[in-house]
Amino acid sequence: VDTMPTFPSHWAPCSGSIEEGETPWQTARRELHEETNLDVDPSKFGGLYVDVPYRKSNDGRESIIRVYPFTVELPRNWSLELRGTEHDTYKFVTFEELEQLTPTVPGLVKAFHHATHGCYMPNLPTEAQEWANDRVNGSVVMAENALVLVELGTVDADTLKMMRPSMVAITNALDKLGEMSSRQILESMRSDGKNTVEHAVQAILPLIETQSSFVIATHSRSSTVTKVLRLLPSSTTILCGQSSPGDEGELIARDLNAQCIGDDDLLDRIEKVTIDLLLVGCDCLTEKHVVNKVGTAKLVQACSRSRTKAFCVVDRWKQWNDIFPPPLEGIFECVPLEGFD
């Protein structure tokens, strides 16, 4: 629309500013309803944010607009009505037409590919697609494979980051490429991981030494947690929650030759204080939350009601540099930091 103060007469998506107390997803839902008649939920799994440079017309200074993109699936019997003053027309375009659309607000095509995790990018190499579909390897191995793809020139770092936004260590590793070589990054990741394991063991051993028997439970498959548990005295009893969906607990129990119990049984044992310590890993650490497998929050809350301690083991490569968590795949959830000992 011609009267927009920013980017008048440009093609733009429904958008707006995040209000106090909102998450980006809540803002996306509110803005969609305010600017159209659609009252539908955007995808919970949004895209990695896009930083768009913007020069203010009143003073000429350049600032950054941080965009959190989401997709919306229209209901079967949809009709669209434009509301407010931010748009005066709309049209639907194919992915190919989007690439040629002009003029658009800066970053529109990039934000679209972020919101759809790169799956509609043209000419995406097979190696990149196979990398993005890897649901077996952990963050260090994934980061190493990502660095190799970038060094070979197979695909650029920004594309890989948008394809697996939940894996923070990959984003952090790729962001460091300008400052460090791939070899230095991997050496740092491995060294930090080793130091984290040693620190965790040092924190747990004094607790074990105060009791004749000590029971530790874990919840989701984590290479870091597994390494910590392997370094504890053999007298320590280890219980692995089944961790549905995915039943990762069965895999950890096999790795450690430990007992696997049902998720409800694990919760019950924490409530009855027959478990001394809950030890979990972390996929992402924000200023306020630990991001881990779904089910973690319930267990940590149970620990706060009992005498069971809750520890999280995480290294600095999983620290997130934004006030909002990254886009989370459905198997992850945010757990408030204050729940941990």
Side-chain angles (χ1 to χ4, degrees), residues 70-316:
F70 294 86
T71 57
V72 175
E73 183 174 345
L74 295 178
R76 183 181 298 274
N77 298 314
W78 63 271
S79 63
L80 195 60
E81 168 197 345
L82 295 179
R83 294 176 173 176
T85 59
E86 295 188 28
H87 309 277
D88 56 18
T89 189
Y90 73 90
K91 65 177 177 179
F92 286 93
V93 295
T94 64
F95 309 125
E96 292 77 15
E97 289 168 340
L98 176 64
E99 299 277 351
Q100 305 301 321
L101 195 61
T102 185
T104 68
V105 294
L108 176 63
V109 174
K110 187 175 183 180
F112 168 79
H113 287 311
H114 274 237
T116 53
H117 312 115
C119 67
Y120 296 109
M121 291 191 71
N123 306 317
L124 198 61
T126 302
E127 296 91 334
Q129 296 177 43
E130 292 174 348
W131 174 88
N133 291 325
D134 186 343
R135 294 297 188 275
V136 177
N137 287 306
S139 56
V140 175
V141 174
M142 289 284 288
E144 181 174 4
N145 293 339
L147 291 167
V148 169
L149 289 175
V150 173
E151 283 195 331
L152 291 175
T154 305
V155 65
D156 64 274
D158 283 343
T159 298
L160 292 180
K161 286 188 289 186
M162 79 168 67
M163 295 174 82
R164 288 302 295 273
S166 284
M167 300 193 78
V168 169
I170 295 171
T171 298
N172 289 339
L174 292 169
D175 282 343
K176 283 289 183 183
L177 264 179
E179 307 168 29
M180 306 163 65
S181 68
S182 296
R183 181 181 57 80
Q184 290 171 324
I185 291 170
L186 291 170
E187 285 179 354
S188 179
M189 293 181 82
R190 288 171 180 144
S191 175
D192 287 345
K194 181 181 177 183
N195 292 338
T196 299
V197 169
E198 292 173 353
H199 182 76
V201 171
Q202 291 168 7
I204 295 170
L205 281 178
L207 302 177
I208 295 176
E209 291 166 357
T210 62
Q211 300 177 208
S212 57
S213 63
F214 198 85
V215 182
I216 295 183
T218 190
H219 165 60
S220 58
R221 198 178 199 190
S222 160
S223 59
T224 307
V225 170
T226 302
K227 290 173 184 175
V228 172
L229 294 175
R230 281 180 172 150
L231 291 173
L232 298 179
S234 58
S235 59
T236 308
T237 300
I238 299 173
L239 298 175
C240 303
Q242 190 170 0
S243 190
S244 296
D247 299 341
E248 295 175 23
E250 295 178 5
L251 300 175
I252 320 169
R254 185 192 63 194
D255 294 342
L256 296 168
N257 194 26
Q259 181 184 357
C260 180
I261 62 176
D263 294 331
D264 290 339
D265 188 12
L266 175 56
L267 188 63
D268 185 59
R269 294 192 192 201
I270 291 175
E271 298 274 11
K272 293 177 178 177
V273 202
T274 59
I275 290 172
D276 299 293
L277 173 66
L278 173 71
L279 182 67
V280 301
C282 175
D283 290 274
C284 167
L285 181 66
T286 74
E287 291 182 4
K288 297 181 179 180
H289 295 96
V290 164
V291 176
N292 200 46
K293 177 82 180 288
V294 165
T296 305
K298 189 184 295 184
L299 296 172
V300 171
Q301 289 166 4
C303 289
S304 67
R305 297 191 297 268
S306 70
R307 295 193 307 275
T308 301
K309 291 186 177 296
F311 279 16
C312 173
V313 56
V314 57
D315 67 67
R316 68 190 181 101

